[in-house]
Amino acid sequence: MITHAHNRFRLPSSAARRFRLPFSAWHLLLAPLALLFAVPLIWLTLSSVMTDAEINRFPPTLWPSGIHLDGYRFVLSNAKFPTWFVNSLIVSGTAVVSNLVFGTLGGYAFARMRFRGSRTMLVMMLATLVVPFQLTMIPTFIVMKWLGLIDTLGALIVPALVTPFAVFLMRQFFLSLPRELEEAAWIDGCSTLRVLWQIVLPLSRPALSTVAVLTFLTTWNDLTWPLIALNHDSTYTLQLGMTTFHGQHQTHWSAVMAGNVITVAPVLLAFLGAQKAFIQSVAGSGLKG
């Protein structure tokens, strides 16, 4: 009797499937939050195609009357913007490649090789992550001056050739990989570097993508160290150049907004391109010791 009553009031399977959401319920909360965080970027993009009169109007104009590219033309023709862009690409690209190479080698050594003092070296390396940049910028400046790199792109590249975070992240990812694959290759006579190149690295693409993205974001957005190490505008990076450009053209807001859009675009594209690999790396490596 009770069973028949329960079956009578239970929804059919087709009706239950009809009420099931086609996406996770968390999206109902995350989508508005994502839109809220995207509002400044949307406003920046819309302002870059407005005229100065529309930007300065009160109450503010929420939608441009048309697509005006005067700000982009002014930035690309009347400023050293292309030079700053190329300088940032050189510094960021070199830092990404060097961190991938040295971070992989150092991380694999700490993960798979046991040598005297390895644990102590790892702890000392990680301890540098808690040292604020304000304590190291003067010694770094003295070293760069001694090397004759001040006011050159080398002063930005050399300190960023390898970071402790890149080594640590690669080490954590290598620890999550099964050793059986490498041991089988060692039995077949493969050297350590060959095992790393042919077996380990193809499995490490999520971690490599994460290191590349984070290194690119850090070096591309860096302003403090270029402000200290560079003096002439021909060696400025994009962030430093845009700071001086903003000070010189405060009334030309469309040009300022256009320059900021071009500055943000490579960072946004880099993150969107490696977003899936970034999530896989964080989920796969974790914080295993």
Side-chain angles (χ1 to χ4, degrees), residues 250-267:
Q250 287 186 355
T251 57
H252 202 338
W253 285 110
S254 61
V256 173
M257 297 298 181
N260 288 328
V261 169
I262 299 176
T263 304
V264 172
V267 176

Side-chain angles (χ1 to χ4, degrees), residues 186-269:
W186 289 332
I187 294 174
D188 292 338
C190 293
S191 62
T192 303
L193 288 178
R194 186 176 179 184
V195 171
L196 175 63
W197 178 258
Q198 295 185 350
I199 298 178
V200 177
L201 284 185
L203 301 174
S204 306
R205 291 177 182 175
L208 294 174
S209 300
T210 301
V211 171
V213 170
L214 294 181
T215 303
F216 182 82
L217 294 179
T218 302
T219 53
W220 184 272
N221 293 325
D222 190 16
L223 174 63
T224 305
W225 178 239
L227 186 63
I228 297 172
L230 303 178
N231 298 320
H232 295 90
D233 56 0
S234 59
T235 58
Y236 283 178
T237 57
L238 195 55
Q239 296 295 336
L240 181 57
M242 282 304 302
T243 302
T244 60
F245 182 81
H246 181 274
Q248 296 171 358
H249 303 282
Q250 287 186 355
T251 57
H252 202 338
W253 285 110
S254 61
V256 173
M257 297 298 181
N260 288 328
V261 169
I262 299 176
T263 304
V264 172
V267 176
L268 186 61
L269 293 177

Side-chain angles (χ1 to χ4, degrees), residues 51-70:
T51 62
D52 291 336
E54 290 177 327
I55 296 175
N56 295 324
R57 184 178 303 168
F58 186 83
T61 304
L62 300 180
W63 193 262
S65 59
I67 299 179
H68 305 279
L69 301 179
D70 296 337

Side-chain angles (χ1 to χ4, degrees), residues 73-91:
R73 295 190 187 98
F74 184 87
V75 167
L76 296 177
S77 61
N78 295 345
K80 293 187 177 180
F81 195 89
T83 302
W84 301 336
F85 192 89
V86 172
N87 291 342
S88 292
L89 282 181
I90 293 174
V91 174

Side-chain angles (χ1 to χ4, degrees), residues 59-177:
T61 304
L62 300 180
W63 193 262
S65 59
I67 299 179
H68 305 279
L69 301 179
D70 296 337
Y72 290 93
R73 295 190 187 98
F74 184 87
V75 167
L76 296 177
S77 61
N78 295 345
K80 293 187 177 180
F81 195 89
T83 302
W84 301 336
F85 192 89
V86 172
N87 291 342
S88 292
L89 282 181
I90 293 174
V91 174
S92 301
T94 306
V96 168
V97 173
S98 63
N99 273 272
L100 289 178
V101 174
F102 296 123
T104 299
L105 295 176
Y108 189 75
F110 282 119
R112 291 292 189 255
M113 299 179 182
R114 292 294 177 263
F115 51 90
R116 180 177 298 180
S118 61
R119 183 69 63 176
T120 303
M121 292 178 60
L122 178 62
V123 172
M124 293 178 62
M125 181 192 68
L126 295 179
T128 61
L129 293 174
V130 301
V131 179
F133 173 72
Q134 288 78 4
L135 295 180
T136 61
M137 62 182 181
I138 294 179
T140 304
F141 180 86
I142 294 174
V143 173
M144 293 300 105
K145 184 177 180 180
W146 180 72
L147 294 175
L149 297 178
I150 293 299
D151 204 21
T152 66
L153 296 182
L156 309 182
I157 294 174
V158 172
L161 286 177
V162 61
T163 59
F165 179 79
V167 177
F168 176 70
L169 182 63
M170 295 305 299
R171 172 187 178 271
Q172 295 302 106
F173 190 86
F174 292 148
L175 288 176
S176 67
L177 298 178

